[in-house]
C-alpha cells in the first residue's frame, strides 16, 4: 500500500445558496481544490452526497459533476453513508490511491438542503434512520437524538445547560472562519433560552440545514512529496445497527469506539497523541458521546470536557476548531470533507486566529445516523 | 496491486417480491454467496443500490444491510451510479482487495422497485438523467432512450422489427435460468405486436421493473487460490454527460468505447478475445449501440448482429446469456452484480443449457443513465 497525501483543498462558504444548484456548488469546491493543488486534470472523482435524489430529483452525481467540472470521461461515482457520506467518499478515494489504481483523485462532498420545502428536509434526513423500525413510528432524526440526550441526562445526573459549552465553543470558533455559516458568538443565556425543537434538544444544540461543498485532492506520497499538505495516517470505517433500540447500550457508541480504535492502531497512536479532533457535533449529545467512545473521557464524563473548557483551542482536546457542524454548518454529505479540509488548514498553520499551536496530528470523525456508520481519519503534518 | 478473484456468488430470483423488503433480499443474496465461498465473516460490504431513498424511504443501506446480515461492525457503505450502481460497488470492492486494504469483501447489489406506486418508479428512474436539462422538460428515462432509437432508425435506415433479435435472444436464454423473471420465449410476431411505451420503444424492447439482489465475494488470489472461481482481469469506469444533447454524437456511446478500451488494455485483450458479453440491454437500442462502441460492430451495424443470430449462445459474440436485463430482469442497482454472477456461472461451466462452450474469458458491462457511466469488467476462468 502506498502512503496517501492531500495535495489540495477547496470549499464553498456554508450557508443558504438559493442561487446555486448542486453542480455549481460542487464545481466551485473542485475548481478551488484543483487550483490549490496546481493540477488541471484528475483520474477519478468520488462524490459524497446523501440527499440529492430526495431533495433535488437527481442521482448519478458522479458523472454529472465530473462532466460539469470539465472532467468528462474520468472514473466517477457517488458514495453514500447517510451523514458520513463525505468521509466515505474520502475512504474510497484513499483506497484508490493507496492501492495504486489511480494517481490523482478528487473527493468532493456536496449537499444542497435549502431551496426545497422545509418539511421535506426533515423527512429526507430521516432516511439515515431505520425506516421500518424507527421512522415508520413517527420518529424524526432529531427526535431520536433527543431520546439519547434525555437518557444521558437521566443516567448521569446531567442538566441540559451543562451541554452549553459545546455550542459556545463551536460558535466562538466559527467567528474566525470565513466559510462558516454562523459567525456570531453565543452566550450561555442564549443557549438556555433557545427555542425547543425536540425536548431536550433546542435550536442551539442543533446543526443547521444548509448547502455547501468541499473537495480534497489525493495523491501518492512517493510521487507528490513536494506538493503534500498532509498525510493520511489512518482511515477506518465501523458500523452499528441503524435502530438505536437494537444496540447493546444506547449511551455507548460502539461504532465510534471501534472506528477510533482501528484508526489508532493503524496510526500507532493513542487518544492523548491527537492534537485536535474534528468530531461530528450534529447535536450536542453526539459530542459528549463521541468524546467518551473515542477515548477522551470516561462514560458519562464527556460533557465535563465542555463544562471545563478542555475542548477550546488551547484546551486538552480542541474540537470543532473551525466551527464544527454546529456553527460552520452541516451540509450532510459534504461535512466529512469539510472536516478534512479544516484539519489540513490546522496542520499547515493556516487556521488563522483558531490555530492550534504546534498541531501536527489531527483526527476527523464523520458519523452517519445516530452512530451507525463511523468513519475516522487521522492526518499528520508533512 | 494484488490480483483479485471471486470466491463465491449468490442471487435471489428476480421478480416482484411483495413479501420481502430490501434488507431481506440483500441478506438472502449475501447468505448464499457466503455459503458458496465457505466463509462466516467478511471485512467489508459495498452495496450497490440506486433507488432505496426514493422508493423505500431508506438510505444508509451499508450499515443497515451489514447489521441485518449478521456482520455488525464491519466497514460498509452504499455506492451509487444510477443503473451502474452494482458494478460501481464491485469496482470499489475490487479496489479494496487489490490495494491490500481488505482480505475478504462482499459486494451486494440490491434493488426493490415494486411494492411502490407505478408512477413513482418511472419518476425515480428519471433520477439517472439530467434533472435540470432533461427531466424538467418532461422526458422520462424511456423517452430519452426512445429518442435514441428513433434517431438510429432514421440515420441507418433500420426498421423497428430489425431489433427483435435482441429480445428474442434474451427471452430464449432466460428460459433456462431459474433466477430469471421472464422464463418464456417470445416470437418475432409478439415483438412486433407488443404495446407501445414510448414510440418506438415497445414493451418487448424494455427491461422490466422488478426486485432482486445479487452478491459476490472478493478475495486476493495469492491467499485464496483454492477457492477462486474466476479472476478479475480488468475493471474500468468511464463517464460522459448525463444529458444526451450535450454529447458529441448521440449515436456513439463514447463512455462505452472509453470504458471498453481501458478494460481491453488492462487485460491485454481485444474484442475478438471475448467469449461472451453480458451487456446492458435495458432497451434494445442500448444493445445495438453498445456492440458498436465496444468494438463488436461498425457504427450503424450493431443491430445486424441480432438480425444474423451472432449474439446467440454459439454465435460470434453471445450476449445476455442468462436472459440479460430484458428477461432475467433489471433491478437497477443489482444488475451489475447479477451480470458478474452469471459470468462466473459461465466461466465455471455452471450455466447449464446456456453454457457457452469453452468460455474462459467473459466481459460484463453495466451502464448508468443512457450511457453516462459505463463500468466494464473482464473475467477469466481460473
Amino acid at each position: 500500500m502506498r502512503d496517501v497525501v492531500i495535495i489540495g483543498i477547496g470549499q464553498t462558504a456554508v450557508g443558504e445558496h438559493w442561487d446555486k444548484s448542486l453542480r455549481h456548488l460542487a464545481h466551485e469546491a473542485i475548481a478551488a481544490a484543483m487550483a490549490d493543488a496546481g493540477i488541471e486534470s484528475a483520474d477519478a472523482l468520488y462524490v459524497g452526497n446523501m440527499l440529492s435524489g430526495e431533495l433535488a430529483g437527481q442521482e448519478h452525481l458522479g458523472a454529472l459533476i465530473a462532466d460539469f467540472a470539465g472532467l468528462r470521461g474520468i472514473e466517477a461515482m457517488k458514495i453514500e453513508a447517510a451523514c458520513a457520506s463525505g468521509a466515505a467518499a474520502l475512504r474510497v478515494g484513499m483506497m484508490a490511491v493507496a492501492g495504486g489504481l489511480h494517481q490523482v483523485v478528487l473527493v468532493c462532498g456536496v449537499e444542497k438542503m435549502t431551496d426545497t420545502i422545509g418539511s421535506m428536509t426533515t423527512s429526507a434526513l430521516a432516511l439515515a434512520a431505520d425506516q421500518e423500525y424507527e421512522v415508520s413510528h413517527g420518529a424524526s432524526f432529531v427526535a431520536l437524538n433527543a431520546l439519547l440526550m434525555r437518557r444521558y441526562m437521566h443516567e448521569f445526573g446531567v442538566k441540559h445547560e451543562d451541554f452549553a459549552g459545546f455550542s459556545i465553543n463551536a460558535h466562538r470558533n466559527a467567528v474566525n472562519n470565513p466559510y462558516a455559516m454562523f459567525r456570531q458568538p453565543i452566550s450561555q443565556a442564549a443557549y438556555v433560552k433557545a427555542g425547543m425543537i425536540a425536548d431536550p434538544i433546542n435550536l442551539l444544540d442543533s446543526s443547521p440545514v444548509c448547502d455547501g461543498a468541499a473537495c480534497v485532492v489525493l495523491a501518492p506520497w512517493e510521487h507528490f512529496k513536494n506538493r503534500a499538505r498532509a498525510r493520511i495516517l489512518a482511515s477506518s470505517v465501523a458500523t452499528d445497527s441503524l435502530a438505536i433500540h437494537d444496540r447493546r447500550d444506547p449511551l455507548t457508541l460502539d461504532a465510534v469506539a471501534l472506528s477510533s480504535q482501528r484508526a489508532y492502531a493503524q496510526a500507532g497512536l493513542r487518544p492523548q497523541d491527537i492534537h485536535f479532533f474534528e468530531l461530528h457535533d450534529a447535536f450536542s449529545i453526539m459530542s459528549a458521546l463521541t468524546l467518551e467512545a473515542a477515548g477522551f473521557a470516561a462514560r458519562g464524563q464527556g460533557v465535563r470536557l465542555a463544562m471545563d473548557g478542555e475542548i477550546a483551542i488551547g484546551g486538552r482536546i480542541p474540537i470543532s476548531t473551525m466551527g464544527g457542524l454546529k456553527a460552520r454548518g452541516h451540509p450532510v454529505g459534504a461535512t466529512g470533507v469539510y472536516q478534512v479540509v479544516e484539519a489540513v488548514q490546522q496542520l499547515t498553520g493556516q487556521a488563522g486566529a483558531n490555530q492550534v499551536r504546534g498541531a501536527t496530528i489531527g483526527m476527523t470523525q464523520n458519523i452517519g445516523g445516530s452512530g451507525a456508520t463511523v468513519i475516522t481519519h487521522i492526518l499528520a503534518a508533512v
Side-chain angles (χ1 to χ4, degrees), chain A:
Chain A
M1 272 195 348
R2 308 194 291 189
D3 280 340
V4 180
V5 292
I6 293 167
I7 63 168
I9 58 175
Q11 58 185 319
T12 73
V14 178
E16 300 192 3
H17 293 292
W18 293 75
D19 57 334
K20 289 174 186 164
S21 75
L22 269 166
R23 70 186 84 189
H24 294 96
L25 289 167
H27 176 236
E28 189 177 325
I30 290 171
M34 290 180 72
D36 188 43
I39 57 169
E40 293 186 345
S41 65
D43 301 319
L45 166 69
Y46 302 105
V47 175
N49 172 272
M50 176 183 173
L51 298 171
S52 72
E54 196 73 5
L55 295 182
Q58 182 72 70
E59 288 288 354
H60 210 174
L61 290 190
L64 183 81
I65 292 173
D67 181 44
F68 196 71
L71 300 163
R72 185 182 292 191
I74 67 166
E75 172 165 342
M77 58 187 71
K78 163 176 159 173
I79 320 292
E80 188 275 327
C83 306
S85 298
L90 178 64
R91 169 68 174 158
V92 172
M94 186 269 178
M95 294 199 297
V97 176
L101 291 104
H102 289 301
Q103 281 290 96
V104 177
V105 163
L106 301 170
V107 176
C108 177
V110 58
E111 203 75 71
K112 181 137 184 67
M113 302 167 76
T114 69
D115 203 2
T116 175
I117 301 158
S119 63
M120 276 180 64
T121 303
T122 293
S123 65
L125 286 169
L127 299 176
D130 191 316
Q131 172 62 36
E132 295 178 18
Y133 292 92
E134 293 180 324
V135 184
S136 63
H137 295 284
S140 68
F141 192 61
V142 58
L144 293 165
N145 281 272
L147 292 170
L148 288 178
M149 190 169 188
R150 174 66 69 197
R151 181 74 194 170
Y152 188 95
M153 289 161 61
H154 170 79
E155 191 90 21
F156 305 122
V158 174
K159 299 196 193 76
H160 176 259
E161 66 209 51
D162 296 339
F163 288 89
F166 289 118
S167 301
I168 292 169
N169 174 67
H171 275 258
R172 185 173 50 226
N173 292 343
V175 168
N176 302 310
N177 179 3
Y179 299 99
M181 183 169 185
F182 297 134
R183 302 187 62 191
Q184 66 278 21
I186 61 167
S187 65
Q188 175 91 19
Y191 175 82
V192 170
K193 280 193 300 189
M196 193 56 70
I197 294 179
D199 193 2
I201 291 183
N202 74 23
L203 193 65
L204 290 179
D205 284 306
S206 308
S207 56
V209 166
C210 51
D211 314 322
C215 181
V216 296
V217 186
L218 307 180
W221 165 248
E222 63 197 34
H223 299 122
F224 288 83
K225 283 178 189 162
N226 294 339
R227 301 199 208 173
R229 305 293 180 81
R231 268 170 86 156
I232 299 179
L233 295 185
S235 167
S236 82
V237 186
T239 52
D240 200 345
S241 69
L242 265 63
I244 292 172
H245 66 260
D246 255 352
R247 297 185 192 158
R248 189 177 59 79
D249 165 18
L251 293 184
T252 303
L253 297 178
D254 280 342
V256 167
L258 195 54
S259 177
S260 302
Q261 286 156 12
R262 287 177 184 162
Y264 296 142
Q266 284 177 31
L269 296 171
R270 299 156 306 167
Q272 53 264 46
D273 300 319
I274 306 297
H275 298 149
F276 64 94
F277 183 16
E278 297 302 335
L279 53 66
H280 194 90
D281 55 334
F283 301 102
S284 319
I285 180 64
M286 290 308 282
S287 298
L289 293 175
T290 291
L291 286 166
E292 296 169 18
F296 296 96
R299 189 164 185 277
Q301 301 295 310
V303 72
R304 309 237 153 246
L305 294 180
M307 294 167 74
D308 301 344
E310 305 209 67
I311 57 171
I313 310 285
R316 182 156 70 82
I317 180 67
I319 68 170
S320 309
T321 69
M322 301 303 278
L325 283 62
K326 174 67 198 80
R328 172 242 293 128
H330 181 27
V332 292
T335 288
V337 184
Y338 272 101
Q339 293 176 315
V340 173
V341 164
E342 292 162 357
V344 173
Q345 290 179 311
Q346 286 288 357
L347 295 169
T348 52
Q350 298 180 308
N354 292 1
Q355 185 64 46
V356 177
R357 294 281 176 81
T360 57
I361 305 280
M363 185 157 93
T364 63
Q365 192 170 74
N366 196 196
I367 300 184
S370 42
T373 300
V374 182
I375 307 183
T376 308
H377 287 89
I378 300 179
L379 289 89
V382 290

